[in-house]
Amino acid sequence: MHSLQRRIMEILDGSTHDYASKIVEWMITFVVLTNCAAVILDSVPDIHAEYKDIFHEFEFWSVMFFTVEYILRVWTLGAKYVESSWKGRSEYVFSPFGLVDFFATMPHYLHMFLPGLDLRILRVLRLLRILKLSKYNTALQD
């Protein structure tokens, strides 16, 4: 189990020499970019009126994708330090990338558990997903 945890951590960490890691990076990049395009298109009233169900479905599956990624990162980073699994996990959770990952999906869950609340203003947090790209693009890291 520990070797599986470490292997997933290596894949998610993004080694340039690892084929699986490159695939995961491209997948995350694709989902982030399509999410940003969907947020922009969904803000156009005519497009929203015609395709709102598709946008809602896409948002749901995107949040599930990002949630699985977040959970896997938290779980696997427990293998980063032998002496304390929570050290690696807390480093990620409170890092800029961990906070972006959390706050980019949080509005969906708030809306799911508190459907009566008007959380439209929090939808802009979905655009935080574009910040995830800075992890995979060296030009954005500078």
Side-chain angles (χ1 to χ4, degrees), residues 1-18:
M1 184 66 144
H2 189 68
S3 61
L4 173 67
Q5 189 178 20
R6 185 161 291 285
R7 177 66 181 133
I8 294 172
M9 180 181 71
E10 291 168 357
I11 291 170
L12 291 174
D13 254 359
S15 167
T16 57
H17 305 292
D18 188 338

Side-chain angles (χ1 to χ4, degrees), residues 55-66:
F55 286 124
H56 180 73
E57 192 73 21
F58 181 69
E59 170 68 10
F60 172 79
W61 289 110
S62 295
V63 168
M64 294 304 108
F65 176 83
F66 291 126

